[in-house]
Structure formats: structure tokens, C-alpha cells
């Protein structure tokens, strides 16, 4: 612990206090999502289940609702619903991380928690330097920094960050996001036997690797895991051009499935699939819990995408994480489903069966409000079915071409509408929708497609309306949700 660390902790605590009332009274404050106590939150970090507890760390700038010298904030839970906001895990207090303790991952080894993160530095000349660093802890609350363990290799620029560590056959592996001197985004693979000395095996995926062609100038936040005999690389590439319905956000997040041969530093993989079709989703990270579930959290935000236009900025905070989702590999694709623990938040339930709407717009009695979970089982959509949420967002399905569309007013100019779309490759059967005070997560057909977005409706608007062209018949279950119980 050094003096700078103590000063930064005290300053962050003072900042929370100073803006507490403003943040607490914001109608857009979320009830079942991790948000920052004040300031900006971005990537989920260091996700791990250890000694019966879930640890969710996150990128945190406490001093303004904008990016800068990041801290690692820390939430802990035994059940994914009751949370404690813990002591700050890492502050940007050392020469090698003074301009940010950037993203990274956690592993458990010898009854200790190891955090691997990126130390970000702007040197006297204003040039960026990035180091992969280690911090350890025996109680999961107090962390000892061990300093840089990996420096930028020859041929690569200082865009070198977000280490993800896992255990292979008797060795440790680390994947890190990188950019080579030709400004091509890559993932580099390292190997170690002691978690301190790391040997570079080579680039295993990236722009112009594995017959991929040009695919971005920087790859951030790699995450590797095996699921049902598939090796999956989740990554957030930057610099993809919009391509019809694909790649409409400023930066993307998705996955490649294939076969990783660590020792040959090779990863044969298929095409890139976006993980989410909504407006705000980036930098997801996964971990394995004690029930052997592969759980994913994402950031409900995208860097440089209208961030100053979020209406929460005036109340001194911005962004949140998604709800946790279990990943499964089914019929050649990743599917995402909310963890079952979230059912603990369900309060009063309402059930309507066999609702038919014909060429009309209708409110269904009692379906609305926030925070809520909706489950809609579709029996028939003859032509089109749309949900309008709080006179703000609209989600529609056009049966003929299978197109799903989410639209909302643009954040920077509310008089204009923006939309995101994808084609559903089968009939629409089910929607599971989680609505918080300013977020929307729509799971289509058991999580084959997901739309994640922030929404900023009039706070008092609680109407959910259904519109059908032709006949639509469906049933709805609605639960009012209690939200997370969080101790700050
Ligand atoms: C992704 C990212 C990471 C970086 C972190 C900094 O959103 O840019 O690459 O480590 O955020 O906060």
C-alpha cells in the first residue's frame, strides 16, 4: 500500500458521498444491474467464483462520468442476487498503472486470488505504454500488486491489453488483445508454468490471420474457453465496417468457434458471430462457476458511441453491466440464457393465456411497469407482431422474412429513430424480456438471439402495447421484479 493508493481511495469515497443523493434519486437508476456508485463503469473484469462467492470486478472511473484513469471496482455475492459493493480492488497508484488499471481476468491458485490486468501509462512524452500486471490476494478483498509480468513484444504497438488467463494441461495460458505495427488487431497467446514468467507462443487469431482478411485495427478483451468440444474465442474487434444488419455499433463483440492447439499456437476457426444485436453491448467476459456453468457478463455500453448523450451523465454516473447469462453450445451456435438465480427476484405474477390481436394495437391488462420480466409464448404470428415499450422502444417481428427489429429515438437527437436488426432463422416461438428502469434485454427463442440496450423513456411511462398485422396469438407471463439487494 502506498500513499497515492490511500489518497485515491479517500478521493473516490468522497466522490461517492458528494454525489450520492443525485445518483440515488435518478429515475434511470437501475435496480438489477451493476452500476457504478458514481462516475463511469465499463468492462466486467476478474469474474470468478471462489470460496462460495461470486466476484464481479469492473472498470471504474469514480471522478467523472467519462473515461480516464480506471480503478477496479468490486461487487461480491453468494447467489448473484444479493450483492455487496466492496472495497476498491485496484487503484492507479504505481508508475506502471498510473493512468489506469485496465481490464483483465482472475484465477484461483494455491488458495490465492490472482488478478491479471493491464497497467496503462502515458509517459512524459505523452506516449501510451501498456504492461500486463499481476496482483494477488489471500482474502479476496486486499490485493498486493506484483508489478508488470509481460511487456509489449517486438513488432507490436502499445495497444496491448486485457489479459485472460486459464489453465491448460499442466500449464497456464494467457491471451491478450494486441495491435501489430501494421495496425492489425490480434490475439497473442502466452504460456507459463509459474504465472510469473510468460513465453510468447504467437498470434493465434486476428485481422489477416487464419484466412480472415482485414478484420479491424485492434482486438480488445479476448476470452477463451471450451464448451461441448468447441473452443470459443470471444473478442471485441475495433474497426469493422458496417455490413448490412451486421456491425452497426461503433465497435463489435462476438465469437469464433474452432479448435485451439495451444502448443502449436494455432486456432482453426469459423466465421465471426456477433453475440448481441442491440445498441449497447461490449467487452463481455466469462467464467466457470462451481456448478460448471459458463457465465457471461457484458458491459451495457460501447466505447465512443454517444456516451456524453446518455441522460444519466447530468446525475454524475453512466453505464451498467448486463445481467449474468449462462452460455451453451447448441446446434452450432452459442446461446445465452439468464441465470436461473434471477428468478429469486420475481414477485407478483400475472398470467394471460391465448391473447389474440387482429390488425390492432392493444395494451394487455397489467402487463407493464418496471422493473419487470416478461415471458411471451408465441402461438401464431400471421404477418407482424410488435411490442412498444413505454412509448420509447419498439421490438418487432416480421414473419415473412424473419426480421427482428429494435428501434428507439437516437440518444443525441431524439427526433430521429435508430434501429438494429437481425434475421431469425426459424419461426419466433418465445421472448424473454428483462426491463429495468433504463435497460432492455430481449432473449429470443431460448437465447438464440439477444438484443441488449439502454432505454431512456419518460420515467412515469409504464405502458407496453402490442400491435399485430394479421392475427397474432400468444400468452404472457409477467413478473414484477424486486431487483438486486445491494449493500453499498
Ligand atoms: C474495453 C477497454 C479495454 C481496456 C478498458 C479500459 O472497453 O477499452 O480494452 O482495458 O476498456 O477501461
Amino acid at each position: 500500500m502506498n500513499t497515492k493508493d490511500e489518497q485515491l481511495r479517500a478521493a473516490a469515497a468522497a466522490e461517492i458521498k458528494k454525489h450520492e443523493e443525485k445518483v440515488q434519486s435518478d429515475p434511470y437508476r437501475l435496480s438489477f444491474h451493476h452500476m457504478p456508485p458514481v462516475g463511469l463503469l465499463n468492462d466486467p473484469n476478474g469474474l470468478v467464483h471462489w470460496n462460495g462467492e461470486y466476484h464481479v470486478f469492473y472498470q471504474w472511473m469514480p471522478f467523472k462520468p467519462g473515461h480516464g484513469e480506471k480503478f477496479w471496482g468490486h461487487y461480491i455475492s453468494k447467489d448473484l442476487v444479493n450483492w455487496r459493493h466492496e472495497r476498491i480492488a485496484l487503484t492507479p497508484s504505481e508508475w506502471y498503472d498510473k493512468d489506469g488499471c485496465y481490464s483483465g481476468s482472475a484465477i484461483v491458485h494455491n488458495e490465492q486470488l490472482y488478478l491479471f490486468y493491464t497497467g496503462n501509462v502515458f509517459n512524459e512524452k505523452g506516449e501510451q505504454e501498456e504492461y500486463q500486471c499481476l496482483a494477488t490476494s489471500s482474502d479476496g478483498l486486499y490485493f498486493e500488486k506484483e508489478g508488470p509480468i509481460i511487456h509489449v513484444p517486438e513488432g507490436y504497438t502499445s495497444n496491448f491489453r486485457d489479459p485472460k488467463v486459464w489453465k491448460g494441461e499442466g500449464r497456464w495460458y494467457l491471451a491478450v488483445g494486441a495491435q501489430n505495427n501494421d495496425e492489425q488487431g490480434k490475439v497473442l497467446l502466452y504460456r507459463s508454468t509459474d504465472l510469473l514468467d510468460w513465453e510468447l507462443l504467437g498470434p493465434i487469431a486476428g485481422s489477416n490471420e487464419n484466412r480472415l482478411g482485414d478484420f479491424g485495427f485492434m482486438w480488445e478483451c479476448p476470452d477463451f474457453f471450451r464448451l461441448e468440444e468447441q473452443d470459443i474465442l470471444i473478442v471485441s474487434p475495433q474497426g469493422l465496417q458496417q455490413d448490412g444488419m451486421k456491425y452497426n455499433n461503433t465497435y463489435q463483440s462476438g465469437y469464433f468457434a474452432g479448435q485451439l492447439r495451444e502448443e502449436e499456437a494455432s486456432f482453426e476457426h469459423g466465421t465471426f458471430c456477433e453475440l448481441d444485436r442491440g445498441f449497447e453491448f461490449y467487452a463481455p467476459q466469462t467464467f466457470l462457476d462451481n456448478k460448471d456453468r459458463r457465465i457471461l457478463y457484458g458491459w451495457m455500453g460501447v466505447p465512443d458511441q454517444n456516451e456524453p448523450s446518455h441522460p444519466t451523465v447530468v446525475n454524475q454516473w453512466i453505464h451498467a453491466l448486463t445481467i449474468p447469462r449462462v452460455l451453451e453450445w447448441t446446434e452450432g451456435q452459442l446461446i445465452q440464457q439468464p441465470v436461473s438465480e434471477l428468478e429469486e427476484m420475481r414477485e407478483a405474477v400475472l398470467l394471460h393465456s391465448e391473447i389474440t390481436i387482429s390488425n390492432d394495437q392493444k395494451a394487455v391488462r397489467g402487463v407493464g411497469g418496471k422493473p419487470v420480466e416478461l415471458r411471451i409464448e408465441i402461438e401464431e404470428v400471421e404477418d407482424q407482431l410488435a411490442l412498444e415499450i413505454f412509448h420509447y422502444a419498439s421490438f418487432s417481428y416480421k414473419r415473412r422474412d424473419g426480421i427482428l427489429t429494435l428501434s428507439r429515438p437516437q440518444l443525441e437527437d431524439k427526433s430521429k429513430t435508430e434501429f438494429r436488426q437481425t434475421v431469425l432463422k426459424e419461426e419466433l416461438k418465445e421472448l424473454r424480456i428483462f426491463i429495468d428502469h433504463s435497460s432492455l434485454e430481449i432473449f429470443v427463442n431460448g437465447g438464440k438471439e439477444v438484443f441488449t440496450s439502454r432505454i431512456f423513456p419518460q420515467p412515469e411511462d409504464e405502458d407496453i402495447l402490442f400491435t399485430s398485422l394479421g392475427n397474432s396469438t400468444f400468452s404472457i407471463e409477467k413478473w414484477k421484479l424486486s431487483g438486486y439487494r445491494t449493500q453499498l
Side-chain angles (χ1 to χ4, degrees):
M1 200 126 336
N2 65 16
T3 346
K4 179 142 182 233
D5 177 79
E6 278 162 29
Q7 283 167 357
L8 288 168
R9 283 169 193 283
E15 200 69 11
I16 295 179
K17 223 169 177 174
K18 183 166 154 207
H19 297 291
E20 205 169 14
E21 244 181 74
K22 240 195 227 171
V23 178
Q24 300 280 348
S25 61
D26 189 334
Y28 294 131
R29 197 184 156 67
L30 295 153
S31 70
F32 60 96
H33 289 85
H34 295 299
M35 51 175 277
V38 66
L40 175 144
L41 165 154
N42 56 305
D43 315 351
N45 289 160
L47 304 177
V48 67
H49 187 264
W50 183 41
N51 289 340
E53 293 187 314
Y54 291 92
H55 293 255
V56 171
F57 301 87
Y58 64 91
Q59 285 286 283
W60 184 23
M61 161 38 79
F63 305 124
K64 57 177 184 192
H67 294 273
E69 298 81 18
K70 302 288 167 61
F71 291 51
W72 273 41
H74 191 187
Y75 281 103
I76 294 186
S77 173
K78 286 193 189 348
D79 59 8
L80 297 169
V81 171
N82 291 282
W83 292 92
R84 295 194 312 273
H85 193 252
E86 280 299 347
R87 174 172 206 281
I88 294 165
L90 303 173
T91 68
S93 59
E94 302 288 339
W95 71 264
Y96 50 78
D97 61 17
K98 74 177 179 64
D99 296 300
C101 296
Y102 277 7
S103 287
S105 58
I107 53 123
V108 174
H109 179 55
N110 286 344
E111 293 178 24
Q112 287 216 317
L113 197 55
Y114 283 63
L115 302 185
F116 295 86
Y117 70 99
T118 299
N120 184 59
V121 171
F122 292 105
N123 65 22
E124 315 82 69
K125 293 189 215 139
E127 300 156 343
Q128 190 171 27
E129 298 171 4
E130 294 196 315
Y131 306 94
Q132 310 323 318
C133 303
L134 173 63
T136 58
S137 170
S138 45
D139 64 3
L141 295 175
Y142 289 79
F143 290 87
E144 194 75 41
K145 287 186 184 168
E146 314 280 348
I149 46 162
I150 302 179
H151 295 252
V152 183
E154 193 91 19
Y156 288 83
T157 75
S158 60
N159 281 306
F160 178 57
R161 52 183 172 267
D162 313 332
K164 169 77 185 193
V165 176
W166 71 95
K167 197 167 194 173
E169 309 270 304
R171 295 169 198 263
W172 297 97
Y173 294 93
L174 180 151
V176 64
Q179 177 186 58
N180 73 6
N181 287 343
D182 298 330
E183 300 198 0
Q184 302 292 304
K186 306 278 177 183
V187 173
L188 298 182
L189 183 68
Y190 287 80
R191 163 176 79 185
S192 170
T193 49
D194 62 3
L195 293 167
L196 296 170
D197 261 348
W198 290 92
E199 178 193 351
L200 176 60
L201 297 174
I204 42 161
S207 179
N208 288 305
E209 297 283 338
N210 305 332
R211 301 179 292 279
L212 188 59
D214 284 339
F215 215 73
F217 58 82
M218 172 63 192
W219 283 24
E220 296 190 317
C221 300
D223 191 281
F224 251 115
F225 54 91
R226 173 161 290 181
L227 202 58
E228 307 285 345
E229 308 298 310
Q230 287 294 317
D231 292 319
I232 311 279
L233 166 64
I234 288 182
V235 70
S236 297
Q238 300 190 314
L240 305 188
Q241 295 306 313
Q242 183 196 348
D243 176 9
M245 293 182 192
K246 294 197 290 190
Y247 317 149
N248 280 235
N249 288 336
T250 303
Y251 304 124
Q252 325 309 327
S253 289
Y255 67 93
F256 296 96
Q259 220 57 51
L260 174 66
R261 289 186 190 83
E262 287 98 332
E263 294 307 310
E264 294 157 32
S266 93
F267 179 51
E268 284 290 325
H269 61 72
T271 52
F272 181 72
C273 305
E274 282 181 279
L275 270 166
D276 198 279
R277 309 295 180 177
F279 293 98
E280 277 93 15
F281 183 85
Y282 195 70
Q285 188 180 103
T286 74
F287 68 107
L288 205 58
D289 79 348
N290 61 332
K291 299 181 186 120
D292 258 351
R293 298 180 296 183
R294 178 60 56 179
I295 299 178
L296 173 144
Y297 275 94
W299 168 29
M300 260 199 303
V302 177
D304 306 330
Q305 187 175 286
N306 301 321
E307 295 182 86
S309 303
H310 283 233
T312 61
V313 164
V314 295
N315 286 323
Q316 214 53 39
W317 72 280
I318 181 168
H319 299 316
L321 299 184
T322 65
I323 52 173
R325 301 149 181 202
V326 177
L327 295 183
E328 277 164 32
W329 180 259
T330 308
E331 297 166 27
Q333 75 163 109
L334 275 187
I335 59 162
Q336 304 175 53
Q337 281 171 309
V339 297
S340 55
E341 282 88 337
L342 299 184
E343 291 169 20
E344 293 295 311
M345 301 189 301
R346 290 174 174 175
E347 292 182 335
V349 58
L350 232 164
L351 175 66
H352 292 279
S353 47
E354 293 284 323
I355 298 164
T356 299
I357 305 179
S358 308
N359 294 313
D360 198 3
Q361 181 172 64
K362 272 194 182 162
V364 179
R365 190 171 33 84
V367 174
K370 47 185 135 44
V372 293
E373 174 189 346
L374 302 177
R375 186 180 214 129
I376 303 175
E377 302 252 354
I378 314 281
E379 200 165 295
E380 185 203 6
V381 174
E382 197 184 334
D383 186 356
Q384 282 186 52
L385 176 66
L387 270 80
E388 192 189 89
I389 299 162
F390 312 143
H391 297 101
Y392 182 89
S394 154
F395 185 69
S396 67
Y397 169 63
K398 218 167 160 188
R399 177 159 174 241
R400 191 162 19 103
D401 45 22
I403 294 181
L404 296 167
T405 305
L406 176 66
S407 61
R408 69 172 183 193
Q410 282 184 8
L411 296 188
E412 70 283 28
D413 178 357
K414 292 197 206 92
S415 67
K416 297 194 181 125
T417 303
E418 54 184 354
F419 55 88
R420 294 288 182 269
Q421 296 185 306
T422 194
V423 176
L424 187 63
K425 297 191 196 78
E426 55 189 29
E427 298 262 315
L428 177 65
K429 293 179 218 122
E430 188 213 28
L431 296 172
R432 229 177 129 191
I433 306 181
F434 285 77
I435 305 177
D436 205 335
H437 295 280
S438 60
S439 74
L440 181 61
E441 285 158 284
I442 304 174
F443 297 83
V444 181
N445 285 3
K448 288 189 176 157
E449 296 292 349
V450 187
F451 286 74
T452 301
S453 284
R454 298 300 301 282
I455 51 170
F456 301 106
Q458 290 301 322
E460 59 286 351
D461 199 325
E462 306 226 309
D463 297 340
I464 296 179
L465 304 172
F466 294 81
T467 307
S468 174
L469 286 185
N471 289 332
S472 292
T473 304
F474 52 90
S475 62
I476 305 183
E477 266 176 297
K478 173 209 137 172
W479 292 268
K480 198 178 166 341
L481 299 179
S482 64
Y484 288 165
R485 290 171 282 275
T486 307
Q487 267 170 263
L488 278 183

